[in-house]
Amino acid sequence: MSSENLELIIGWLYPTLMSTYGDRGNVITIQRRAQWRGYNVQVVALDQNSTDADIQAVDIIVGGGAQDRQQEIVMRDLQGAKADAMRDKIENGTPGVFTCGSPQLLGKYYEPALGQRIEGLGILDLVSVHPGENTQRCIGNLVIEVTASRLAQELEDMTGSKPYLVGFENHGGRTKLGKVEALGRVVYGLGNNGEDGTEGAFYQNAIATYSHGPLLPKNPFVADWLIQTALRLKYQEHISLSPLDDSLALQARSAMLHRLKVSLPNPAIAKV
Ligand code: GLN
């Protein structure tokens, strides 16, 4: 099947409320990397004007960070049939990348610095608590090794090297994982809570992370994993992506790793 006949629909969660820290870069990265390979791409906002059918129709979901107040507004809207549609999509393996405030909402609950607990969708077995306005936020560069076993293997198959992600975190909430698998282990930075060395979560094909950066421009192989996973699920064919020139992203990663004095066993990133 030629790529011009194939289409990907990216669903972007509440773009005006949840894209606080440049997370829009994740949407653009998926869009452009798919278009460069000749796929048709549509980006649709999933927000207050959307229905559950709009959520059901997307192939990849991207959710960014938000401030506590915005998270509350989103959770008031994401109820009933819309909440069920999100649950369905993730349970059925729709790939997605969810950053910071978004995983807090996909978890069981988030307790903001001020005000009432915000109930989450309960899709991810995790809870997040902001210890209060006088507690230091977790801010800074972040490097993690992906340890979620299937994802780590699939990324390694795509790139030929162990997957490390470079990003930037900025959150007050601390997340504790229940039975859900961590996305990775912290190599540099604080991650889920600054205590247990875990970062993010991985469930079905949903990547949850505190890493802004934004994540995908700095780690383009993750964008390719999302695209490939979405295409395979949608078209039920073993679609593989053609390679792109990632030398600039590779240089940016090396510069950051060098600055942070993190040396990785094998920093190569792209062979897709
Ligand atoms: N409001 C949440 C927190 O401070 C999420 C922040 C974010 O999405 N960057 O933990």
Side-chain angles (χ1 to χ4, degrees):
M1 220 184 308
S2 132
S3 57
E4 298 95 74
N5 303 324
L6 305 187
E7 184 193 49
L8 274 183
I9 305 174
I10 303 171
W12 184 4
L13 290 179
Y14 300 86
T16 56
L17 292 168
M18 303 194 70
S19 194
T20 322
Y21 300 93
D23 297 319
R24 175 168 170 261
N26 286 341
V27 176
I28 297 170
T29 306
I30 298 170
Q31 180 183 23
R32 298 300 290 151
R33 293 181 74 83
Q35 287 171 337
W36 285 332
R37 272 108 169 192
Y39 297 102
N40 296 307
V41 181
Q42 258 196 72
V43 178
V44 299
L46 299 176
D47 59 15
Q48 290 97 326
N49 300 317
S50 315
T51 64
D52 55 320
D54 297 326
I55 298 176
Q56 288 289 3
V58 305
D59 304 309
I60 297 181
I61 306 173
V62 182
Q67 283 148 351
D68 290 5
R69 191 169 140 56
Q70 277 73 17
Q71 285 182 219
E72 235 183 294
I73 301 171
V74 168
M75 272 325 281
R76 271 204 299 274
D77 186 66
L78 205 47
Q79 303 277 342
K82 282 164 87 163
D84 291 344
M86 273 296 290
R87 215 169 273 124
D88 249 41
K89 291 300 278 182
I90 292 179
E91 290 294 347
N92 291 323
T94 299
V97 59
F98 301 94
T99 309
C100 205
S102 287
Q104 293 175 351
L105 297 180
L106 295 182
K108 292 185 164 165
Y109 60 80
Y110 172 57
E111 288 180 7
L114 295 168
Q116 301 288 310
R117 175 186 280 195
I118 305 168
E119 295 301 326
L121 295 178
I123 302 170
L124 303 178
D125 186 5
L126 56 85
V127 298
S128 307
V129 175
H130 192 305
E133 281 193 313
N134 295 328
T135 322
Q136 262 206 323
R137 291 179 69 79
C138 304
I139 302 179
N141 290 297
L142 183 64
V143 179
I144 69 164
E145 177 190 357
V146 176
T147 53
S149 46
R150 180 168 55 82
L151 180 64
Q153 189 57 57
E154 291 181 12
L155 292 175
E156 190 168 341
D157 292 346
M158 288 174 84
T159 62
S161 57
K162 257 182 182 298
Y164 288 86
L165 309 184
V166 177
F168 186 89
E169 60 187 323
N170 184 349
H171 53 109
R174 271 61 167 177
T175 294
K176 288 275 165 71
L177 303 179
K179 291 197 191 72
V180 68
E181 200 177 9
L183 172 64
R185 73 171 179 89
V186 175
V187 175
Y188 186 99
L190 295 163
N192 282 339
N193 48 57
E195 285 168 11
D196 64 15
T198 65
E199 207 298 297
F202 182 65
Y203 179 65
Q204 307 295 33
N205 286 319
I207 294 173
T209 178
Y210 270 119
S211 178
H212 301 279
L215 179 74
L216 300 182
K218 288 184 171 172
N219 307 280
F221 53 96
V222 179
D224 288 351
W225 178 85
L226 292 163
I227 295 168
Q228 188 168 282
T229 304
L231 288 169
R232 287 180 181 178
L233 187 70
K234 182 168 186 172
Y235 293 104
Q236 296 293 309
E237 270 196 37
H238 194 79
I239 294 169
S240 295
L241 301 181
S242 51
L244 294 174
D245 177 4
D246 283 330
S247 48
L248 281 177
L250 182 56
Q251 283 175 42
R253 283 167 64 84
S254 304
M256 182 49 77
L257 293 168
H258 183 73
R259 195 195 296 171
L260 302 178
K261 299 185 175 46
V262 173
S263 65
L264 301 182
N266 179 0
I269 57 162
K271 183 191 93 173
V272 179

